[in-house]
């Protein structure tokens, strides 16, 4: 019988055997009373089993196996079973979720599909963010898009807080930017498209229709803060053939689930397992280079889970051209390097920000040093002088 | 200009002025660079403002006001703005969210509509849960429904972990139970209907269609674990006139957001403000009488936020007939009292479990004592002897 195996972590004061039993029974049959003895086969089929309990330096871990038949599909149902009511107790953190192969929705594009669309074969994809987040007009955005596109940027995205502002709705943005995207592609025939991940935002009332309209009007990628809107919405969009474009997941609000160390769900689950199993194509997550307290181990788990599902990891935060050698060492090529200020605030302008990344890549490929004294004058030198290396 | 005012709590080691500024700027314009000085009017319209910073005994609170224009609609967009990227820092807890009047989707039924449908005027509604959670057949459920309905139960619900099991899908359940519901209503003409909140479960792919089908096939209420599926799905369902039945929100997975004391969002926000503004009709939450560590203050905030929006509070956990006097003192009549084992595990059977509640209410109305020696033999006496008072 197929199983879903979940690892829970408990604090040093916990009774892990008791807690694991509460989870295994309370989150499945829900009650186990003598009067149901005659029905034990029916009920037993659904009961969870405590598989293993391990002491840690500062607490315990327990593996609980749930019959997969209890959750035939859907992240919402999965979360309800493995953490639902039990989450209200505040007594454990989920650190790993192992699902049967094929469970959930597969990614439709993922690393391979996004490489195909953009025509970028072997190197990391370079990705930028429209900044400032709010307050620019659609023509401001089209202007920034043109500059960065002509410099060779592969992907650009809205900021995740960009809503449908009057005069600058997602539809206004895509209408202003579509001609630019088309012109870029005409200029580099056979080379693949630049992607613009438009932020999908607003009330659940009509959001699905809005996504369809955006795609119809030329959006060639969408950005969704799935942790804030819910993975059910992501599943809904992924399963609609009319929304046949890569879906980029933004981690906004993921900290509400994962930010406490002894409660909630590990980053690798929330930004790895869950989006992978709900059909995401690319997932952004905080890189260790930024100001957020992210560890190498957190990143490794997220990126590992994403790559295992063929989904593109997009480390974001603190990414700038001077650290490209470290980025190559840490991530390898199967990644989109997402730079906000690292492109838009380049001293010579956004186009130079993009060029600095390509210059850095070339220099890295040639094994040339990155100390500013050795770099010829130009975008990379200016970037390293501003942000270091 | 309309504002959304959010209160953040920080620990004793924090620099609250700095954190509040990071939120006010980082979650709105996103960047504030000299080069945008010429556009300060455009950008300034969207900037958040730190309104107040207060010391607490063990930390600080700060109020940040966001221009409401930044989030015209939708809980997903709201969460992305007020907590989104900042949540990843793990450095604060949201304790209150004050939205402009009329923001979001209004409840379509709420306390008033559910009273109208059930015909229950002045007393608390009595609500039960099918138990065991998994493993019963549709005809088992129909049998339990008949017993409890004939005893006068107002509302029954699936357990929230009940998925679409082979042979016992939501559709199978409603098809088995609909004839019972219809017979009950024929037997008490003019009296209002018993509601059965069917658990809506599964992948976001097709969930909306499933909800429509269930309603078409006779479901007169739906249960959704909105914290697990996302509030965007709730908004989507609420805004569909074909799903014209009360939506009950289950708190499963809410602990992932709220279970840590120094991070995430307060219970009153997750189980009060958010469902109220996404159009819920009734919200279940852990009562202080159960085994979960819920305080009177948590409950008061949840119930207060719900009632302010006209939404029915449904305290659940540890509810049994013997404590009815305390329940009346604590909650008053505008509430649904939700009992799982408190009905289904009654020593004389589920029907007696329901009758015990009515007997308790009558006794309370007559100001009669609840010590077992004074209660005549019957359902209430048996309940008090089993569960106390």
């Amino acid at each position: 019988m197929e199983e879903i195996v979940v690892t829970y972590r408990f604090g040093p004061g916990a009774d892990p055997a008791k807690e694991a039993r509460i989870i295994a029974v309370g989150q499945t049959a829900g009650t186990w009373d003598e009067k149901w003895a005659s029905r034990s086969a029916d009920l037993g089929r659904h009961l969870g089993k405590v598989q293993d309990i391990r002491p840690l330096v500062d607490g315990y871990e327990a593996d609980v196996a749930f019959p997969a038949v209890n959750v035939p599909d859907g992240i919402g149902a999965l979360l309800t079973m493995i953490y639902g009511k039990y989450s209200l107790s505040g007594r454990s953190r989920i650190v790993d979720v192992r699902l049967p192969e094929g469970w959930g929705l597969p990614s439709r594009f993922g690393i391979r599909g996004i490489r195909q669309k953009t025509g970028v074969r072997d190197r990391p994809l370079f990705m930028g963010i429209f900044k400032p987040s709010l307050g620019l007009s659609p023509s401001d955005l089209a202007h920034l898009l043109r500059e960065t596109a002509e410099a060779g940027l592969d992907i650009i995205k809205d900021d995740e807080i960009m809503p449908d502002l009057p005069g600058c709705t997602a539809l206004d943005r895509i209408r202003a930017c579509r001609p630019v995207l088309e012109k870029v592609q005409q200029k580099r025939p056979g080379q693949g498209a630049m992607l613009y991940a438009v932020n999908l935002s607003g009330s659940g009332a009509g959001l699905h229709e809005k996504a369809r309209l955006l795609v119809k009007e030329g959006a060639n990628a969408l950005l969704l803060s799935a942790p804030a809107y819910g993975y059910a919405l992501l599943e809904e969009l992924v399963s609609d053939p009319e929304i046949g474009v890569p879906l980029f997941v933004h981690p906004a609000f993921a900290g509400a689930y994962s930010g406490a160390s002894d409660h909630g769900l590990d980053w690798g689950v929330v930004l790895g397992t869950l989006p992978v199993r709900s059909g995401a194509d690319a997932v952004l997550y905080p890189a260790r280079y930024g100001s957020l307290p992210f560890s190498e181990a957190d990143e490794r788990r997220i990126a590992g889970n994403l790559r295992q599902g063929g989904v593109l990891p997009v480390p974001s935060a603190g990414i700038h051209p001077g650290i490209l050698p470290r980025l190559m060492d840490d991530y390898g090529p199967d990644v989109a390097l997402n730079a906000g200020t690292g492109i838009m605030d380049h001293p010579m302008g956004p186009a130079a920000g993009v060029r600095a990344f390509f210059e850095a890549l070339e220099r890295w490929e040639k094994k040339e040093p990155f100390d500013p004294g050795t770099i010829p004058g130009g975008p990379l030198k200016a970037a390293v002088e501003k942000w270091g290396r």
Side-chain angles (χ1 to χ4, degrees), chain A residues 346-375:
Chain A
H346 189 284
M348 297 157 68
V354 177
R355 290 200 184 96
F357 272 101
F358 283 101
E359 204 183 323
L361 184 66
E362 207 184 316
R363 220 170 157 76
W364 175 81
E365 281 167 349
K366 292 184 185 159
K367 299 192 168 54
E368 289 171 349
F370 271 64
D371 45 304
T374 67
I375 305 173

PDB file of all heavy atoms in Angstrom, chain A residues 346-375:
ATOM      1  N   HIS A 346      22.271  49.533 -10.997  1.00  0.00           N
ATOM      2  CA  HIS A 346      23.645  49.612 -11.495  1.00  0.00           C
ATOM      3  C   HIS A 346      23.981  51.074 -11.787  1.00  0.00           C
ATOM      4  O   HIS A 346      23.154  51.792 -12.350  1.00  0.00           O
ATOM      5  CB  HIS A 346      23.777  48.758 -12.766  1.00  0.00           C
ATOM      6  CG  HIS A 346      25.207  48.602 -13.218  1.00  0.00           C
ATOM      7  ND1 HIS A 346      25.899  49.608 -13.862  1.00  0.00           N
ATOM      8  CD2 HIS A 346      26.066  47.556 -13.111  1.00  0.00           C
ATOM      9  CE1 HIS A 346      27.129  49.172 -14.132  1.00  0.00           C
ATOM     10  NE2 HIS A 346      27.250  47.931 -13.681  1.00  0.00           N
ATOM     11  N   PRO A 347      25.181  51.511 -11.392  1.00  0.00           N
ATOM     12  CA  PRO A 347      25.514  52.945 -11.558  1.00  0.00           C
ATOM     13  C   PRO A 347      25.396  53.445 -12.997  1.00  0.00           C
ATOM     14  O   PRO A 347      25.131  54.632 -13.224  1.00  0.00           O
ATOM     15  CB  PRO A 347      26.975  53.027 -11.081  1.00  0.00           C
ATOM     16  CG  PRO A 347      27.366  51.689 -10.568  1.00  0.00           C
ATOM     17  CD  PRO A 347      26.239  50.744 -10.742  1.00  0.00           C
ATOM     18  N   MET A 348      25.577  52.545 -13.980  1.00  0.00           N
ATOM     19  CA  MET A 348      25.478  52.978 -15.384  1.00  0.00           C
ATOM     20  C   MET A 348      24.102  52.664 -15.976  1.00  0.00           C
ATOM     21  O   MET A 348      23.899  52.806 -17.181  1.00  0.00           O
ATOM     22  CB  MET A 348      26.567  52.288 -16.213  1.00  0.00           C
ATOM     23  CG  MET A 348      27.998  52.660 -15.793  1.00  0.00           C
ATOM     24  SD  MET A 348      29.233  51.390 -16.279  1.00  0.00           S
ATOM     25  CE  MET A 348      29.195  51.539 -18.061  1.00  0.00           C
ATOM     26  N   GLY A 349      23.155  52.261 -15.129  1.00  0.00           N
ATOM     27  CA  GLY A 349      21.799  51.995 -15.625  1.00  0.00           C
ATOM     28  C   GLY A 349      21.515  50.502 -15.741  1.00  0.00           C
ATOM     29  O   GLY A 349      22.436  49.669 -15.709  1.00  0.00           O
ATOM     30  N   PRO A 350      20.218  50.174 -15.886  1.00  0.00           N
ATOM     31  CA  PRO A 350      19.782  48.772 -15.907  1.00  0.00           C
ATOM     32  C   PRO A 350      20.416  47.931 -17.023  1.00  0.00           C
ATOM     33  O   PRO A 350      20.757  46.766 -16.792  1.00  0.00           O
ATOM     34  CB  PRO A 350      18.273  48.878 -16.110  1.00  0.00           C
ATOM     35  CG  PRO A 350      17.901  50.222 -15.576  1.00  0.00           C
ATOM     36  CD  PRO A 350      19.068  51.098 -15.870  1.00  0.00           C
ATOM     37  N   ALA A 351      20.597  48.506 -18.221  1.00  0.00           N
ATOM     38  CA  ALA A 351      21.188  47.720 -19.313  1.00  0.00           C
ATOM     39  C   ALA A 351      22.602  47.295 -18.932  1.00  0.00           C
ATOM     40  O   ALA A 351      23.005  46.145 -19.148  1.00  0.00           O
ATOM     41  CB  ALA A 351      21.193  48.531 -20.613  1.00  0.00           C
ATOM     42  N   ALA A 352      23.341  48.218 -18.331  1.00  0.00           N
ATOM     43  CA  ALA A 352      24.701  47.891 -17.883  1.00  0.00           C
ATOM     44  C   ALA A 352      24.651  46.821 -16.799  1.00  0.00           C
ATOM     45  O   ALA A 352      25.550  45.986 -16.693  1.00  0.00           O
ATOM     46  CB  ALA A 352      25.402  49.144 -17.381  1.00  0.00           C
ATOM     47  N   GLY A 353      23.589  46.856 -15.970  1.00  0.00           N
ATOM     48  CA  GLY A 353      23.421  45.828 -14.947  1.00  0.00           C
ATOM     49  C   GLY A 353      23.366  44.446 -15.567  1.00  0.00           C
ATOM     50  O   GLY A 353      23.989  43.495 -15.083  1.00  0.00           O
ATOM     51  N   VAL A 354      22.609  44.340 -16.655  1.00  0.00           N
ATOM     52  CA  VAL A 354      22.507  43.046 -17.354  1.00  0.00           C
ATOM     53  C   VAL A 354      23.856  42.689 -17.990  1.00  0.00           C
ATOM     54  O   VAL A 354      24.349  41.560 -17.851  1.00  0.00           O
ATOM     55  CB  VAL A 354      21.413  43.099 -18.442  1.00  0.00           C
ATOM     56  CG1 VAL A 354      21.365  41.783 -19.218  1.00  0.00           C
ATOM     57  CG2 VAL A 354      20.056  43.423 -17.817  1.00  0.00           C
ATOM     58  N   ARG A 355      24.467  43.668 -18.661  1.00  0.00           N
ATOM     59  CA  ARG A 355      25.739  43.400 -19.350  1.00  0.00           C
ATOM     60  C   ARG A 355      26.815  42.950 -18.371  1.00  0.00           C
ATOM     61  O   ARG A 355      27.675  42.126 -18.697  1.00  0.00           O
ATOM     62  CB  ARG A 355      26.199  44.651 -20.110  1.00  0.00           C
ATOM     63  CG  ARG A 355      25.301  44.929 -21.310  1.00  0.00           C
ATOM     64  CD  ARG A 355      25.939  45.819 -22.372  1.00  0.00           C
ATOM     65  NE  ARG A 355      24.912  46.060 -23.394  1.00  0.00           N
ATOM     66  CZ  ARG A 355      24.135  47.152 -23.425  1.00  0.00           C
ATOM     67  NH1 ARG A 355      24.301  48.134 -22.534  1.00  0.00           N
ATOM     68  NH2 ARG A 355      23.203  47.278 -24.352  1.00  0.00           N
ATOM     69  N   ALA A 356      26.755  43.528 -17.157  1.00  0.00           N
ATOM     70  CA  ALA A 356      27.751  43.160 -16.142  1.00  0.00           C
ATOM     71  C   ALA A 356      27.667  41.663 -15.826  1.00  0.00           C
ATOM     72  O   ALA A 356      28.682  41.007 -15.583  1.00  0.00           O
ATOM     73  CB  ALA A 356      27.545  43.990 -14.882  1.00  0.00           C
ATOM     74  N   PHE A 357      26.449  41.112 -15.819  1.00  0.00           N
ATOM     75  CA  PHE A 357      26.309  39.669 -15.563  1.00  0.00           C
ATOM     76  C   PHE A 357      26.946  38.840 -16.683  1.00  0.00           C
ATOM     77  O   PHE A 357      27.644  37.862 -16.423  1.00  0.00           O
ATOM     78  CB  PHE A 357      24.832  39.285 -15.402  1.00  0.00           C
ATOM     79  CG  PHE A 357      24.331  39.420 -13.988  1.00  0.00           C
ATOM     80  CD1 PHE A 357      23.569  40.515 -13.602  1.00  0.00           C
ATOM     81  CD2 PHE A 357      24.639  38.452 -13.033  1.00  0.00           C
ATOM     82  CE1 PHE A 357      23.116  40.643 -12.289  1.00  0.00           C
ATOM     83  CE2 PHE A 357      24.184  38.577 -11.725  1.00  0.00           C
ATOM     84  CZ  PHE A 357      23.423  39.679 -11.353  1.00  0.00           C
ATOM     85  N   PHE A 358      26.701  39.234 -17.926  1.00  0.00           N
ATOM     86  CA  PHE A 358      27.301  38.484 -19.034  1.00  0.00           C
ATOM     87  C   PHE A 358      28.826  38.608 -19.032  1.00  0.00           C
ATOM     88  O   PHE A 358      29.538  37.640 -19.293  1.00  0.00           O
ATOM     89  CB  PHE A 358      26.719  38.952 -20.376  1.00  0.00           C
ATOM     90  CG  PHE A 358      25.340  38.405 -20.632  1.00  0.00           C
ATOM     91  CD1 PHE A 358      24.208  39.177 -20.421  1.00  0.00           C
ATOM     92  CD2 PHE A 358      25.171  37.091 -21.074  1.00  0.00           C
ATOM     93  CE1 PHE A 358      22.941  38.665 -20.652  1.00  0.00           C
ATOM     94  CE2 PHE A 358      23.909  36.569 -21.301  1.00  0.00           C
ATOM     95  CZ  PHE A 358      22.785  37.357 -21.089  1.00  0.00           C
ATOM     96  N   GLU A 359      29.281  39.823 -18.712  1.00  0.00           N
ATOM     97  CA  GLU A 359      30.733  40.043 -18.638  1.00  0.00           C
ATOM     98  C   GLU A 359      31.329  39.154 -17.542  1.00  0.00           C
ATOM     99  O   GLU A 359      32.388  38.531 -17.720  1.00  0.00           O
ATOM    100  CB  GLU A 359      30.972  41.527 -18.326  1.00  0.00           C
ATOM    101  CG  GLU A 359      32.317  42.045 -18.765  1.00  0.00           C
ATOM    102  CD  GLU A 359      32.499  43.521 -18.350  1.00  0.00           C
ATOM    103  OE1 GLU A 359      31.515  44.307 -18.398  1.00  0.00           O
ATOM    104  OE2 GLU A 359      33.630  43.876 -17.949  1.00  0.00           O
ATOM    105  N   ALA A 360      30.616  39.080 -16.433  1.00  0.00           N
ATOM    106  CA  ALA A 360      31.096  38.257 -15.314  1.00  0.00           C
ATOM    107  C   ALA A 360      31.146  36.791 -15.722  1.00  0.00           C
ATOM    108  O   ALA A 360      32.103  36.064 -15.401  1.00  0.00           O
ATOM    109  CB  ALA A 360      30.174  38.436 -14.100  1.00  0.00           C
ATOM    110  N   LEU A 361      30.122  36.352 -16.455  1.00  0.00           N
ATOM    111  CA  LEU A 361      30.089  34.953 -16.876  1.00  0.00           C
ATOM    112  C   LEU A 361      31.262  34.635 -17.791  1.00  0.00           C
ATOM    113  O   LEU A 361      31.940  33.598 -17.640  1.00  0.00           O
ATOM    114  CB  LEU A 361      28.758  34.655 -17.591  1.00  0.00           C
ATOM    115  CG  LEU A 361      28.533  33.198 -17.999  1.00  0.00           C
ATOM    116  CD1 LEU A 361      28.410  32.320 -16.761  1.00  0.00           C
ATOM    117  CD2 LEU A 361      27.277  33.068 -18.862  1.00  0.00           C
ATOM    118  N   GLU A 362      31.528  35.543 -18.729  1.00  0.00           N
ATOM    119  CA  GLU A 362      32.624  35.330 -19.664  1.00  0.00           C
ATOM    120  C   GLU A 362      33.966  35.273 -18.916  1.00  0.00           C
ATOM    121  O   GLU A 362      34.805  34.414 -19.166  1.00  0.00           O
ATOM    122  CB  GLU A 362      32.645  36.493 -20.670  1.00  0.00           C
ATOM    123  CG  GLU A 362      33.233  36.121 -22.017  1.00  0.00           C
ATOM    124  CD  GLU A 362      33.296  37.352 -22.915  1.00  0.00           C
ATOM    125  OE1 GLU A 362      32.303  38.116 -22.953  1.00  0.00           O
ATOM    126  OE2 GLU A 362      34.368  37.552 -23.541  1.00  0.00           O
ATOM    127  N   ARG A 363      34.116  36.192 -17.983  1.00  0.00           N
ATOM    128  CA  ARG A 363      35.342  36.248 -17.191  1.00  0.00           C
ATOM    129  C   ARG A 363      35.521  34.966 -16.373  1.00  0.00           C
ATOM    130  O   ARG A 363      36.612  34.428 -16.266  1.00  0.00           O
ATOM    131  CB  ARG A 363      35.252  37.465 -16.249  1.00  0.00           C
ATOM    132  CG  ARG A 363      36.546  38.205 -16.124  1.00  0.00           C
ATOM    133  CD  ARG A 363      36.437  39.506 -15.406  1.00  0.00           C
ATOM    134  NE  ARG A 363      37.765  39.824 -14.894  1.00  0.00           N
ATOM    135  CZ  ARG A 363      38.757  40.273 -15.670  1.00  0.00           C
ATOM    136  NH1 ARG A 363      38.567  40.495 -16.948  1.00  0.00           N
ATOM    137  NH2 ARG A 363      39.949  40.497 -15.137  1.00  0.00           N
ATOM    138  N   TRP A 364      34.422  34.511 -15.820  1.00  0.00           N
ATOM    139  CA  TRP A 364      34.465  33.277 -15.011  1.00  0.00           C
ATOM    140  C   TRP A 364      34.836  32.090 -15.909  1.00  0.00           C
ATOM    141  O   TRP A 364      35.648  31.239 -15.530  1.00  0.00           O
ATOM    142  CB  TRP A 364      33.118  33.047 -14.332  1.00  0.00           C
ATOM    143  CG  TRP A 364      33.045  31.740 -13.593  1.00  0.00           C
ATOM    144  CD1 TRP A 364      33.527  31.476 -12.347  1.00  0.00           C
ATOM    145  CD2 TRP A 364      32.490  30.511 -14.085  1.00  0.00           C
ATOM    146  NE1 TRP A 364      33.294  30.171 -12.017  1.00  0.00           N
ATOM    147  CE2 TRP A 364      32.656  29.541 -13.066  1.00  0.00           C
ATOM    148  CE3 TRP A 364      31.849  30.128 -15.276  1.00  0.00           C
ATOM    149  CZ2 TRP A 364      32.213  28.230 -13.199  1.00  0.00           C
ATOM    150  CZ3 TRP A 364      31.411  28.825 -15.414  1.00  0.00           C
ATOM    151  CH2 TRP A 364      31.599  27.886 -14.383  1.00  0.00           C
ATOM    152  N   GLU A 365      34.242  32.058 -17.107  1.00  0.00           N
ATOM    153  CA  GLU A 365      34.532  30.944 -18.027  1.00  0.00           C
ATOM    154  C   GLU A 365      36.009  30.927 -18.413  1.00  0.00           C
ATOM    155  O   GLU A 365      36.603  29.867 -18.604  1.00  0.00           O
ATOM    156  CB  GLU A 365      33.647  31.044 -19.284  1.00  0.00           C
ATOM    157  CG  GLU A 365      32.216  30.536 -19.024  1.00  0.00           C
ATOM    158  CD  GLU A 365      31.246  30.911 -20.135  1.00  0.00           C
ATOM    159  OE1 GLU A 365      31.593  31.737 -21.007  1.00  0.00           O
ATOM    160  OE2 GLU A 365      30.111  30.376 -20.104  1.00  0.00           O
ATOM    161  N   LYS A 366      36.580  32.139 -18.542  1.00  0.00           N
ATOM    162  CA  LYS A 366      37.995  32.236 -18.914  1.00  0.00           C
ATOM    163  C   LYS A 366      38.911  32.127 -17.700  1.00  0.00           C
ATOM    164  O   LYS A 366      40.123  32.365 -17.796  1.00  0.00           O
ATOM    165  CB  LYS A 366      38.260  33.573 -19.620  1.00  0.00           C
ATOM    166  CG  LYS A 366      37.604  33.686 -20.982  1.00  0.00           C
ATOM    167  CD  LYS A 366      38.014  35.015 -21.616  1.00  0.00           C
ATOM    168  CE  LYS A 366      37.304  35.268 -22.924  1.00  0.00           C
ATOM    169  NZ  LYS A 366      37.311  36.722 -23.261  1.00  0.00           N
ATOM    170  N   LYS A 367      38.297  31.903 -16.529  1.00  0.00           N
ATOM    171  CA  LYS A 367      39.056  31.790 -15.275  1.00  0.00           C
ATOM    172  C   LYS A 367      39.858  33.048 -14.968  1.00  0.00           C
ATOM    173  O   LYS A 367      40.964  32.980 -14.416  1.00  0.00           O
ATOM    174  CB  LYS A 367      39.969  30.555 -15.307  1.00  0.00           C
ATOM    175  CG  LYS A 367      39.205  29.238 -15.455  1.00  0.00           C
ATOM    176  CD  LYS A 367      40.103  28.047 -15.192  1.00  0.00           C
ATOM    177  CE  LYS A 367      39.372  26.730 -15.027  1.00  0.00           C
ATOM    178  NZ  LYS A 367      38.458  26.342 -16.106  1.00  0.00           N
ATOM    179  N   GLU A 368      39.342  34.197 -15.325  1.00  0.00           N
ATOM    180  CA  GLU A 368      40.022  35.467 -15.041  1.00  0.00           C
ATOM    181  C   GLU A 368      39.620  35.965 -13.649  1.00  0.00           C
ATOM    182  O   GLU A 368      38.517  35.695 -13.175  1.00  0.00           O
ATOM    183  CB  GLU A 368      39.661  36.503 -16.111  1.00  0.00           C
ATOM    184  CG  GLU A 368      40.300  36.177 -17.471  1.00  0.00           C
ATOM    185  CD  GLU A 368      39.782  37.052 -18.604  1.00  0.00           C
ATOM    186  OE1 GLU A 368      38.791  37.771 -18.403  1.00  0.00           O
ATOM    187  OE2 GLU A 368      40.382  37.003 -19.687  1.00  0.00           O
ATOM    188  N   PRO A 369      40.522  36.716 -13.013  1.00  0.00           N
ATOM    189  CA  PRO A 369      40.238  37.166 -11.635  1.00  0.00           C
ATOM    190  C   PRO A 369      39.157  38.246 -11.593  1.00  0.00           C
ATOM    191  O   PRO A 369      38.858  38.884 -12.602  1.00  0.00           O
ATOM    192  CB  PRO A 369      41.583  37.726 -11.167  1.00  0.00           C
ATOM    193  CG  PRO A 369      42.283  38.110 -12.423  1.00  0.00           C
ATOM    194  CD  PRO A 369      41.831  37.157 -13.497  1.00  0.00           C
ATOM    195  N   PHE A 370      38.566  38.430 -10.401  1.00  0.00           N
ATOM    196  CA  PHE A 370      37.491  39.399 -10.215  1.00  0.00           C
ATOM    197  C   PHE A 370      37.892  40.605  -9.366  1.00  0.00           C
ATOM    198  O   PHE A 370      37.038  41.408  -9.012  1.00  0.00           O
ATOM    199  CB  PHE A 370      36.259  38.703  -9.614  1.00  0.00           C
ATOM    200  CG  PHE A 370      35.339  38.144 -10.660  1.00  0.00           C
ATOM    201  CD1 PHE A 370      35.760  37.112 -11.503  1.00  0.00           C
ATOM    202  CD2 PHE A 370      34.053  38.646 -10.822  1.00  0.00           C
ATOM    203  CE1 PHE A 370      34.913  36.600 -12.483  1.00  0.00           C
ATOM    204  CE2 PHE A 370      33.201  38.139 -11.795  1.00  0.00           C
ATOM    205  CZ  PHE A 370      33.626  37.120 -12.623  1.00  0.00           C
ATOM    206  N   ASP A 371      39.174  40.733  -9.009  1.00  0.00           N
ATOM    207  CA  ASP A 371      39.497  41.942  -8.240  1.00  0.00           C
ATOM    208  C   ASP A 371      39.456  43.144  -9.164  1.00  0.00           C
ATOM    209  O   ASP A 371      39.887  43.092 -10.322  1.00  0.00           O
ATOM    210  CB  ASP A 371      40.839  41.821  -7.509  1.00  0.00           C
ATOM    211  CG  ASP A 371      41.923  41.238  -8.369  1.00  0.00           C
ATOM    212  OD1 ASP A 371      41.706  40.104  -8.903  1.00  0.00           O
ATOM    213  OD2 ASP A 371      42.945  41.893  -8.536  1.00  0.00           O
ATOM    214  N   PRO A 372      38.860  44.257  -8.648  1.00  0.00           N
ATOM    215  CA  PRO A 372      38.531  45.402  -9.510  1.00  0.00           C
ATOM    216  C   PRO A 372      39.721  45.908 -10.308  1.00  0.00           C
ATOM    217  O   PRO A 372      39.560  46.344 -11.450  1.00  0.00           O
ATOM    218  CB  PRO A 372      38.039  46.468  -8.531  1.00  0.00           C
ATOM    219  CG  PRO A 372      37.774  45.770  -7.250  1.00  0.00           C
ATOM    220  CD  PRO A 372      38.523  44.491  -7.245  1.00  0.00           C
ATOM    221  N   GLY A 373      40.918  45.821  -9.738  1.00  0.00           N
ATOM    222  CA  GLY A 373      42.092  46.314 -10.448  1.00  0.00           C
ATOM    223  C   GLY A 373      42.340  45.599 -11.769  1.00  0.00           C
ATOM    224  O   GLY A 373      42.886  46.180 -12.699  1.00  0.00           O
ATOM    225  N   THR A 374      41.912  44.346 -11.871  1.00  0.00           N
ATOM    226  CA  THR A 374      42.188  43.563 -13.078  1.00  0.00           C
ATOM    227  C   THR A 374      41.064  43.636 -14.107  1.00  0.00           C
ATOM    228  O   THR A 374      41.218  43.168 -15.230  1.00  0.00           O
ATOM    229  CB  THR A 374      42.393  42.078 -12.718  1.00  0.00           C
ATOM    230  OG1 THR A 374      41.147  41.556 -12.236  1.00  0.00           O
ATOM    231  CG2 THR A 374      43.466  41.905 -11.651  1.00  0.00           C
ATOM    232  N   ILE A 375      39.911  44.163 -13.707  1.00  0.00           N
ATOM    233  CA  ILE A 375      38.767  44.207 -14.643  1.00  0.00           C
ATOM    234  C   ILE A 375      38.836  45.476 -15.474  1.00  0.00           C
ATOM    235  O   ILE A 375      38.988  46.569 -14.920  1.00  0.00           O
ATOM    236  CB  ILE A 375      37.430  44.165 -13.861  1.00  0.00           C
ATOM    237  CG1 ILE A 375      37.381  42.941 -12.932  1.00  0.00           C
ATOM    238  CG2 ILE A 375      36.236  44.153 -14.820  1.00  0.00           C
ATOM    239  CD1 ILE A 375      36.173  42.916 -12.016  1.00  0.00           C
TER     240      ILE A 375
END
